[in-house]
């Protein structure tokens, strides 16, 4: 179904930066693992704070390219992954183009194409919560300029099943459509990215989610060199160039990839066990969609009320969650479990109190 934005949609920026800002002390809403700090990284003493490069420094681009097994010329560094996606939209899309996106998902995937005059079809999920690739394939046609694919998906945590990848790529090749891959949650890009499987694909990622450094605002795109070059030219109308300071710090993060990946695996593997046990005790209210390589999970609501109303109640208990409404969906929420166990258990304790119908106190975290 072709859709446009409606007045009753509830943007994430309103929830996160306005309604919830300053009202929580337990964060189970943000979609990255526990944040690192500047103390975790060596300060680049003597660094000249000049304009740097619009494409990113050569060392950082080489490190990113190495994650994919590509050449540095295929990489452009941006001010966060969101800028990379925006630049690709601006370079690829024209009024009248057709775009396929998936919901629930990151609203930028359909909002920007609509603003650019594109016709957008938003495709939902299968009963298992997987992206409905069969439906998307039926929609792809001669006017389809791009398919926006986030796998694993934010917010459901589900990947495109391998059995569906071939049919998607066949449909894209038949019409020369582009595949824009939002792969922020792919920990091993060399192994699991779909970039190398389609010649018109471009992958977007960054150091925010798996590495836990969203404050560095460092993302990238990797794909056909001519497409990346065009996007970097467009960057002169957005942020012009990258911060040389965050560029240097992000390079250090990637040099220590194994260290941060080990921490990511520790937090996610322990956290999901805690969340599974908790969700099993609340099957009358929630159905847990098993995440596939993400630091968060989707809880489909089976009880009464809206997800936005429930998240507002939980926010009054000092816990941040992400309601389905901010992802263009209904009756579900995203909960992040890649937290130290004491923090996760404290957040779940307060949610328990909300479910029990009384206001919890913000006590000491369970040990």
């Amino acid at each position: 179904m072709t859709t446009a934005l409606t007045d009753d949609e509830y943007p994430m920026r309103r929830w996160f930066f306005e309604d919830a800002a300053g009202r929580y002390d337990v964060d189970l809403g943000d979609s990255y693992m526990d944040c690192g700090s500047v103390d975790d990284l060596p300060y680049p003493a003597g660094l000249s704070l000049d304009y740097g490069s619009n494409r990113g420094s050569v060392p950082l681009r080489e490190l990113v390219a190495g994650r994919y097994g590509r050449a540095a010329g295929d990489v452009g560094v941006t001010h966060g992954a969101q800028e990379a996606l925006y630049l690709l939209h601006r370079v690829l899309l024209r009024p009248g183009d057709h775009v396929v996106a998936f919901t629930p998902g990151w609203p930028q995937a359909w909002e920007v194409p609509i603003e650019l005059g594109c016709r957008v079809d938003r495709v939902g999920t299968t009963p298992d919560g997987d992206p409905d690739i069969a439906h998307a394939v039926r929609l792809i046609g001669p006017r389809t300029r791009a398919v926006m694919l986030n796998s694993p998906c934010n917010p459901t945590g589900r990947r495109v099943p391998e059995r569906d990848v071939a049919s998607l790529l066949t449909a894209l090749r038949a019409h020369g459509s582009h595949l824009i891959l939002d792969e922020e949650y792919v920990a091993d890009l060399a192994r699991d990215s779909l970039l190398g499987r389609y010649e018109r694909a471009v992958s977007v990622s960054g150091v925010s989610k798996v590495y836990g450094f969203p404050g560095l605002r460092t993302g990238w795109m990797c794909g056909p060199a001519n497409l990346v070059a065009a996007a970097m030219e467009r960057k002169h109308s957005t942020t012009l160039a990258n911060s040389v300071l965050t560029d240097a710090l992000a390079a250090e993060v990637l040099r220590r990839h194994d260290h941060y990946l080990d921490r990511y695996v520790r937090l996610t593997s322990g956290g999901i066990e805690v969340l599974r046990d908790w969700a099993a005790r609340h099957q009358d209210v929630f159905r847990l969609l098993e995440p596939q390589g993400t630091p968060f999970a989707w809880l489909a609501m089976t009880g009464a009320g809206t997800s936005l109303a429930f998240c507002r109640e939980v926010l009054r208990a000092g816990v941040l969650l992400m309601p389905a409404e901010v992802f263009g969906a209904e009756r579900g929420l995203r909960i992040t479990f890649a937290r130290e166990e004491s923090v996760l258990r404290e957040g779940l304790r307060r949610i328990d109190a909300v479910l029990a119908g009384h206001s919890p106190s913000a006590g000491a975290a369970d040990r």
Side-chain angles (χ1 to χ4, degrees), residues 1 4 30 43 84 87 89 127 142 145 160 175 199 201 217 236 259-260 267 307:
M1 179 176 67
D30 281 323
Y43 188 77
L87 293 171
H89 290 145
R145 182 65 170 166
V160 174
H175 300 288
E199 57 278 6
R217 306 309 305 132
H236 285 278
H259 166 75
Y260 291 109
L267 290 176
S307 44

Side-chain angles (χ1 to χ4, degrees), residues 38-49:
V38 69
D39 296 333
D40 298 330
L41 300 171
Y43 188 77
L47 180 69
S48 175
L49 296 178

Side-chain angles (χ1 to χ4, degrees), residues 86-111:
Y86 180 77
L87 293 171
L88 289 167
H89 290 145
R90 292 306 306 263
V91 168
L92 286 175
L93 303 179
R94 299 291 182 270
D97 285 344
H98 176 235
V99 173
V100 176
F102 292 86
T103 187
W106 189 242
Q108 185 195 32
W110 55 83
E111 288 179 351

Side-chain angles (χ1 to χ4, degrees), residues 303-315:
T306 69
S307 44
L308 182 57
F310 178 75
C311 288
R312 284 173 172 158
E313 286 292 320
V314 172
L315 183 62

Side-chain angles (χ1 to χ4, degrees), residues 43-339:
Y43 188 77
L47 180 69
S48 175
L49 296 178
D50 57 25
Y51 269 113
S53 166
N54 66 324
R55 296 197 64 159
S57 70
V58 171
L60 179 55
R61 288 166 55 209
E62 288 178 342
L63 286 162
V64 172
R67 302 307 318 158
Y68 292 92
R70 305 276 289 225
D74 295 340
V75 173
V77 178
T78 56
H79 189 74
Q82 182 144 330
E83 186 187 32
L85 292 167
Y86 180 77
L87 293 171
L88 289 167
H89 290 145
R90 292 306 306 263
V91 168
L92 286 175
L93 303 179
R94 299 291 182 270
D97 285 344
H98 176 235
V99 173
V100 176
F102 292 86
T103 187
W106 189 242
Q108 185 195 32
W110 55 83
E111 288 179 351
V112 176
I114 289 172
E115 291 171 1
L116 294 175
C118 297
R119 182 172 64 87
V120 178
D121 280 317
R122 282 190 269 178
V123 176
T125 64
T126 68
D128 292 332
D130 300 330
D132 192 344
I133 298 298
H135 185 191
V137 166
R138 292 194 296 271
L139 294 170
I140 296 171
R143 296 300 300 265
T144 305
R145 182 65 170 166
V147 171
M148 323 295 295
L149 182 62
N150 175 214
S151 178
C153 173
N154 176 14
T156 66
R158 304 288 290 183
R159 294 180 181 272
V160 174
E162 180 59 31
R163 65 178 180 274
D164 292 332
V165 172
S167 61
L168 174 62
L169 298 184
T170 297
L172 292 169
R173 284 194 175 97
H175 300 288
S177 308
H178 292 269
L179 179 60
I180 300 180
L181 297 163
D182 179 349
E183 297 187 315
E184 275 269 28
Y185 301 99
V186 177
D188 190 337
L189 290 162
R191 183 189 66 192
D192 296 327
S193 172
L194 295 178
L195 177 63
R197 300 175 66 173
Y198 183 51
E199 57 278 6
R200 292 198 172 199
V202 57
S203 173
V204 171
S205 191
V207 299
S208 294
K209 310 301 185 182
V210 172
Y211 298 99
F213 286 95
L216 290 182
R217 306 309 305 132
T218 302
W220 58 74
M221 63 181 72
C222 183
N226 60 340
L227 176 58
V228 172
M232 292 300 102
E233 285 297 314
R234 175 71 68 165
K235 195 169 186 288
H236 285 278
S237 299
T238 55
T239 56
L240 182 65
N242 304 300
S243 161
V244 294
L245 178 57
T246 58
D247 185 299
L249 294 172
E252 187 60 34
V253 170
L254 292 184
R255 289 188 187 101
R256 304 175 66 193
H257 168 82
D258 291 345
H259 166 75
Y260 291 109
L261 184 59
D262 287 347
R263 182 168 181 260
Y264 181 76
V265 171
R266 177 178 66 82
L267 290 176
T268 54
S269 59
I272 189 57
E273 292 299 329
V274 173
L275 183 61
R276 284 188 189 120
D277 291 343
W278 179 86
R281 293 189 281 107
H282 296 291
Q283 295 182 58
D284 58 328
V285 183
F286 301 115
R287 178 173 66 90
L288 173 68
L289 270 66
E290 190 67 25
Q292 297 174 321
T294 54
F296 55 80
W298 183 255
L299 294 174
M301 291 186 64
T302 57
T306 69
S307 44
L308 182 57
F310 178 75
C311 288
R312 284 173 172 158
E313 286 292 320
V314 172
L315 183 62
R316 283 192 276 272
V319 179
L320 178 69
L321 300 171
M322 288 294 171
E325 286 82 355
V326 305
F327 302 106
E330 297 178 341
R331 300 194 54 73
L333 60 92
R334 188 186 73 193
I335 182 168
T336 299
F337 53 83
R339 299 289 184 262

